[in-house]
Amino acid sequence: VAARHTVSIIPRGDNECEPITFRQKYALGSLIGEGTSSNCYKCTRLSDGKEFACKVINLKRLCTTFPKSVVSKFKQEIDTLEILEH
């Protein structure tokens, strides 16, 4: 996967001034599915090898393809995912 700007929904480390980046905590794997403005990948948590699905949103495509109302719904989805323990 090419380097790109990503929004990582990951809690901060012990030092609140140093956020933990996605790539410090997970290894991005194979593509599971593709959407209009996002892709879903298999990812593995580096600390214990547990596998998850990871949604990577292309913010540039999202903001240029969809009206603001749809972009707002993606923001709501992100906010919801941040509070879920899943």
Side-chain angles (χ1 to χ4, degrees):
V1 175
R4 65 181 105 177
H5 295 286
T6 60
V7 177
S8 299
I9 305 171
I10 297 176
R12 294 177 182 264
D14 293 335
N15 181 348
E16 285 293 318
C17 296
E18 295 183 30
I20 298 170
T21 65
F22 179 86
R23 293 188 187 272
Q24 288 174 314
K25 197 165 183 176
Y26 298 91
L28 203 59
S30 59
L31 180 67
I32 296 171
E34 295 179 80
T36 306
S37 62
S38 63
N39 292 332
C40 187
Y41 295 89
K42 181 193 295 187
C43 68
T44 306
R45 187 166 47 201
L46 298 174
S47 63
D48 61 6
K50 187 171 181 179
E51 292 185 337
F52 298 90
C54 172
K55 185 173 191 174
V56 178
I57 300 170
N58 182 325
L59 295 175
K60 184 176 180 181
R61 189 179 323 150
L62 175 69
C63 292
T64 59
T65 305
F66 295 101
K68 287 184 179 182
S69 61
V70 174
V71 174
S72 175
K73 290 196 183 294
F74 270 97
K75 170 87 170 86
Q76 289 174 348
E77 179 182 355
I78 290 168
D79 291 343
T80 301
L81 290 171
E82 284 182 316
I83 60 173
L84 291 177
E85 294 281 332
H86 64 290

